[in-house]
Amino acid sequence: PSKGAADAGNIFAAIKKAHGDKVKLLGVGEIAPNEVKISIPGMEYIYQPSRDEMADLMFRTDIWLGCSHGEGLGRLSLEAMTGLAACVLTDTKAEFVVPDKNALVAPVGAVNELANHINTLILDPEFRKQIALAGYQTAKVMADPSDMIDRLDEVIASVF
């Protein structure tokens, strides 16, 4: 429930209804395919992809939907940004997300708002590219550990 799968299913259904075969929907998860309760015609479900498969998916994704109800770092969204996917996310307070700059964000459970964000990105490829590039820049900065190393050094120095 905390991953927002039901919300994602409702959003996917709305997007498929609005755009038909113009969109390709991929779901990724750890639930065995025979236990997945979401059934959307034309949606492909990828069960437990390997790291390489996941990386390949990220680089083939135009829009990443993250519907989590709670998140730590939000690693998958950050990885999607690395792959130049424009991210549509629930507001889980991930420190790297800047709403309307590097991702489009809506409150947890705001299915219609999330679907509208996806529609906006589908209909406005230039805006989608802008969000995707800003996300990529964010991921690039987050991949540089220098700032974290400096902070850790400061904490260690303050203890001694």
Side-chain angles (χ1 to χ4, degrees), residues 107-140:
V108 171
V111 173
N112 289 337
E113 191 174 343
L114 291 163
N116 287 338
H117 284 330
I118 292 173
N119 276 321
T120 297
L121 294 175
I122 289 171
L123 297 172
D124 189 343
E126 284 304 312
F127 183 54
R128 182 174 68 232
K129 182 178 177 181
Q130 177 185 332
I131 293 291
L133 287 172
Y136 174 78
Q137 290 302 320
T138 298
K140 187 175 167 183

Side-chain angles (χ1 to χ4, degrees), residues 74-134:
R75 180 182 57 83
L76 284 178
S77 298
L78 197 56
E79 289 178 11
M81 288 177 174
T82 301
L84 283 168
C87 290
V88 174
L89 308 169
T90 50
D91 188 4
T92 59
K93 309 294 185 217
E95 67 272 9
F96 61 89
V97 174
V98 182
D100 300 324
K101 299 288 184 205
N102 66 3
L104 298 183
V105 181
V108 171
V111 173
N112 289 337
E113 191 174 343
L114 291 163
N116 287 338
H117 284 330
I118 292 173
N119 276 321
T120 297
L121 294 175
I122 289 171
L123 297 172
D124 189 343
E126 284 304 312
F127 183 54
R128 182 174 68 232
K129 182 178 177 181
Q130 177 185 332
I131 293 291
L133 287 172

